[in-house]
Amino acid sequence: MIPGNELIFCALGGSGEIGMNVNLYGCQGKWLMVDLGMTFGMNEYPGVELVFADLDFIEQQRDNLLGIVLTHAHEDHIGAVPYFVQELNVPIYATPFTARLVAAKLEEAGILDEIELIVVDNLEKFEIGPFGISYLPLAHSIAEGHALLIDTPFGRIFHTGDWKLDDEPQVGTPATAEELKAIGDDGVLALVCDSTNVFNPKASGSEGDVYRGLLDEVKRWKGRRVLVTTFASNVARLHTLGRIAKATNRRLCVAGRSLDRIIEVGQASGYLKEMPDLVDFETAMNLPRGEVLFIATGGQGEPRAALSRISEGNHQISLEAGDVVLFSSRQIPGNEIAIGRIQNRLSDAGIVLVTDRQSEIHVSGHPGRPELEAIYGWLRPQILMPVHGEIRHMREQVRLGLSSGIPDAVFQKNGDLVRLAPGKPGKFGEVEHGRLVLDGDIIAPADGQAVVMRRRLAHNGVVSVAADGRGKVEVSALGLPLEEDYETFLDEARRDVADALGKTRKRSREDRVEAMRLAVRRAATRWSGKKPQVQVMLLED
C-alpha cells in the first residue's frame, strides 16, 4: 500500500498495548517512521525476553521509507532499533541524549559504522521528504522527552510521544502553556496522543514534589542505610538523588549497569552536573550506616538486577534489619508477583519498605485527565487520535476528547490504516501486523512453533519413547507429577508400547509410530491426568 496524495497513519505497535511503539505516517508516496520500540516478554512467551512489532509491512516498502525519528530514549521507543535498522536501511534522527544511547546499542551490535545516525541538537525544523519535522520538549521521566510537530501538505500533526505537565521538572525545560497555545493558534490538524493514564482523575504530579518527598524520607532514617530503587532512565530522579545525598551528608553508591550507562550518557549530554562523586561497593559498605545512600536497579522484580541479588544476599551490598528501601517507581502491570517476591524477602530480613502509596516518592511520566484536557484546550486540534495504550485506554481517550469539544476522534489499533486527510478522518483498511520475539539469538514469530511447543511443554511435560526392531522399548518423561510412581508408570508404558507394536507389525512405519505415540500418551494420562507432548523414535532394521 503506497500512500497517494493523502495523509495516512498506521501503527504497527503500541496501539493495543503499552510498549513496543512503532508508528508510520504516509504522504505522497513516502513513509516516515516514528519510534521503533520493544517490550519485554511475559509468561505468554516462555523463554523469551524481548518482543517486537512485526515490521513486514514496511520492510516490503523500505524503498519508500524515508527515515526513523525517535521521540525519546525509553526502551519501548528505541529498543528494537539495533535489531531492524540494518534491514530498513534508513537514517535515524534523534536528539543528543537519545542518540548517545542508540549509538551505544548500535556499537554493541557491531553495526554503528553502517548506520546513519543524525543528531538533531536544536529545535529548528528539518525536512524529510514531504514531512517537516520539529522537536518540541515536553516533560517526561527521561531526559529529552519530545513531541514532534510534523508539517505536511495537508496540515500539522502534533505527535506527543510520552509526556506530562510539570512546573518543576528538575531536568530540561519543557514547552510552556503559552508556547502550546501559540501552536494551537497556528492550527493543528491532528493530535496523536499518549493514552497511558487516561483513567487517572488527577494530574501526574511534579518531580519537584518527589524531590521534597524523597528528601524527607532519607532525613527520617538517620543512622540507617537507605537504598532507593528507581527506573535507571529517569535522569531527573538521579539528579534528585544526587542533590539529596549532598543535603543529607551521605556518600552515593549506584548498583546496576544500566544506571552506570545512564549516568555516563547523561553527563556527556550536559545533565547530572551536580552529581556527587560516586563511591564503590567496598567503600560504601565500610562507611557508617547513616552516611551512605544507595541507588539500585531492579524495582520491577528483575531476577538478575541488583535489588533482587541484594534481597537474596548475593551482592556486594548488604542490608540488615532496620535498613530502608524506598521504591521510587510504580509497579508496571505484570510485574506485581516478581516485585512482591523481592519485597517479601526484604521484609523477612527486617528491612523497612516504603512505596509511593505511603509517601510522595514517585510520580508518573504520563498525563492524567486534567493534563489531557489542558493540552486539548491549548492545541485545539481538529482530530484526536489516541495511541500508546491498551484498547480500553484509547477508547476512553476518544470519549474524553469528544466530550472536551474536539470535533473528530479516531479510534485505531495496530495494523489499521487511517486516512487523516483529505476528507473525513477514519479507518479505510488494514495491513499485516503482529509480534516477533527474540528467542535466543533468533528473531521468530511470536506464535511460531517453538513458542507454542514451549507453552505445551510447560503445561503438560514431555514423554520420549524409543523402540528398535527387536522389540526393545525405552520410555522417559519430564514434567509429569508422578514422583514415587514414576518407575511403575515407565514399566506400564513400556508394556503398552510393546503391545501396540505387536498389533501393528504388518502396518506402515507411520502407523507404527502413531501407535507408539498414542500408547505412551494414554499411559501418561491414566497415571497423571496430563496429556504430554510425545517424542517417538522407531529404529528398525
Side-chain angles (χ1 to χ4, degrees):
M1 191 277 161
I2 299 175
N5 191 30
E6 58 191 341
L7 179 58
I8 293 172
F9 175 86
C10 181
L12 297 180
S15 287
E17 69 262 313
I18 294 176
M20 205 172 66
N21 297 282
V22 183
N23 301 293
L24 296 171
Y25 291 94
C27 186
Q28 296 180 342
K30 300 298 180 182
W31 291 99
L32 177 73
M33 182 179 289
V34 174
D35 292 329
L36 182 50
M38 58 84 170
T39 191
F40 294 99
M42 307 294 277
N43 292 336
E44 61 185 311
Y45 303 121
V48 167
E49 291 191 0
L50 304 184
V51 182
F52 310 117
D54 187 342
L55 303 184
D56 184 66
F57 166 71
I58 195 63
E59 285 174 347
Q60 292 183 27
Q61 296 195 59
R62 55 178 161 249
D63 290 345
N64 297 320
L65 180 65
L66 299 173
I68 304 168
V69 182
L70 302 175
T71 58
H72 66 286
H74 275 145
E75 290 294 324
D76 61 328
H77 293 258
I78 69 168
V81 168
Y83 299 96
F84 295 95
V85 69
Q86 275 185 303
E87 180 76 15
L88 295 172
N89 193 30
V90 294
I92 302 171
Y93 299 82
T95 57
F97 177 81
T98 301
R100 284 187 172 93
L101 286 174
V102 170
K105 289 178 175 291
L106 297 176
E107 185 172 25
E108 186 176 347
I111 59 173
L112 178 59
D113 294 338
E114 303 173 32
I115 306 303
E116 186 179 4
L117 179 57
I118 299 172
V119 181
V120 181
D121 58 1
N122 58 61
L123 303 181
E124 298 300 318
K125 182 189 291 188
F126 56 98
E127 305 292 333
I128 309 177
F131 305 98
I133 314 293
S134 302
Y135 278 107
L136 183 77
L138 293 179
H140 186 45
S141 53
I142 194 170
E144 297 181 12
H146 286 90
L148 298 178
L149 300 181
I150 306 175
D151 289 311
T152 78
F154 297 92
R156 172 174 280 183
I157 306 294
F158 192 107
H159 184 105
T160 67
D162 294 3
W163 69 284
K164 61 181 286 187
L165 299 178
D166 193 339
D167 293 332
E168 297 180 87
Q170 305 302 299
V171 167
T173 306
T176 63
E178 289 71 26
E179 290 170 319
L180 293 167
K181 288 176 185 176
I183 292 169
D185 291 342
D186 290 338
V188 173
L189 171 67
L191 172 62
V192 180
C193 190
D194 177 358
S195 306
T196 310
N197 279 349
V198 66
F199 290 108
N200 191 339
K202 297 181 180 179
S204 56
S206 171
E207 284 291 330
D209 294 331
V210 174
Y211 168 75
R212 289 180 283 274
L214 283 168
L215 180 61
D216 289 345
E217 281 295 332
V218 175
K219 283 182 174 179
R220 176 184 172 196
W221 303 104
K222 292 180 179 178
R224 307 190 193 187
R225 286 182 181 141
V226 176
L227 183 150
V228 181
T229 183
T230 190
F231 296 109
S233 59
N234 195 331
V235 175
R237 201 67 50 84
L238 299 180
H239 173 78
T240 285
L241 292 169
R243 291 177 61 198
I244 289 171
K246 288 182 177 180
T248 57
N249 295 314
R250 290 175 180 258
R251 302 298 302 275
L252 192 61
C253 178
V254 302
R257 284 178 295 177
S258 56
L259 280 168
D260 294 334
R261 183 173 64 251
I262 291 292
I263 291 171
E264 179 184 356
V265 171
Q267 290 177 333
S269 304
Y271 306 108
L272 303 177
K273 293 180 179 179
E274 300 178 27
M275 199 78 169
D277 292 338
L278 303 178
V279 298
D280 59 27
F281 299 146
E282 183 178 359
T283 301
M285 292 304 297
N286 286 323
L287 289 168
R289 308 190 74 77
E291 295 181 15
V292 63
L293 176 64
F294 295 103
I295 310 174
T297 58
Q300 295 305 307
E302 304 94 319
R304 294 194 296 271
L307 185 62
S308 178
R309 292 165 55 207
I310 291 168
S311 73
E312 294 169 339
N314 295 324
H315 197 278
Q316 291 162 279
I317 294 172
S318 64
L319 300 177
E320 300 175 5
D323 290 337
V324 182
V325 174
L326 308 179
F327 283 80
S328 185
S329 57
R330 71 178 180 91
Q331 290 188 354
I332 294 176
N335 293 344
E336 296 89 350
I337 292 175
I339 295 170
R341 191 176 295 122
I342 290 174
Q343 290 181 339
N344 283 327
R345 283 199 297 262
L346 293 168
S347 186
D348 194 43
I351 294 161
V352 179
L353 309 180
V354 181
T355 72
D356 62 337
R357 284 174 287 187
Q358 299 157 263
S359 182
E360 194 165 11
I361 58 174
H362 177 68
V363 292
S364 174
H366 300 272
R369 292 175 85 90
E371 292 152 289
L372 291 168
E373 291 168 334
I375 206 167
Y376 298 161
W378 295 333
L379 296 179
R380 289 150 282 150
Q382 297 174 41
I383 306 163
L384 169 67
M385 188 163 59
V387 293
H388 201 292
E390 298 173 7
I391 299 298
R392 59 195 174 99
H393 299 109
M394 297 188 298
R395 285 284 190 194
E396 180 62 20
Q397 193 179 175
V398 165
R399 286 189 280 268
L400 180 63
L402 291 173
S403 68
S404 299
I406 297 176
D408 267 308
V410 177
F411 170 80
Q412 56 79 45
K413 57 183 183 294
N414 294 337
D416 287 351
L417 284 167
V418 175
R419 183 178 291 111
L420 295 172
K424 182 172 176 58
K427 175 182 173 180
F428 68 94
E430 294 182 18
V431 303
E432 182 179 344
H433 67 286
R435 290 183 166 196
L436 302 174
V437 296
L438 181 64
D439 198 355
D441 294 329
I442 297 172
I443 295 176
D447 58 354
Q449 186 63 28
V451 174
V452 171
M453 183 59 69
R454 213 171 289 152
R455 289 194 196 111
R456 292 175 180 171
L457 294 175
H459 283 97
N460 290 301
V462 60
V463 177
S464 298
V465 55
D468 62 19
R470 296 182 296 275
K472 183 178 181 182
V473 177
E474 291 293 341
V475 177
S476 65
L478 291 172
L480 296 185
L482 296 175
E483 304 299 334
E484 296 177 358
D485 295 326
Y486 180 68
E487 292 298 332
T488 309
F489 155 71
L490 293 181
D491 289 341
E492 184 171 309
R494 283 191 286 264
R495 289 195 299 271
D496 288 354
V497 172
D499 289 345
L501 286 172
K503 294 175 182 178
T504 58
R505 185 178 297 109
K506 295 182 179 181
R507 295 186 187 175
S508 69
R509 176 182 174 83
E510 290 75 14
D511 286 347
R512 288 161 65 77
V513 167
E514 179 64 7
M516 292 171 64
R517 187 188 73 82
L518 291 174
V520 78
R521 194 179 197 212
R522 287 166 180 162
T525 303
R526 282 197 307 274
W527 279 87
S528 68
K530 293 287 189 179
K531 295 181 179 180
Q533 298 300 302
V534 179
Q535 287 185 313
V536 178
M537 289 180 287
L538 178 57
L539 308 173
E540 295 182 312
D541 297 334

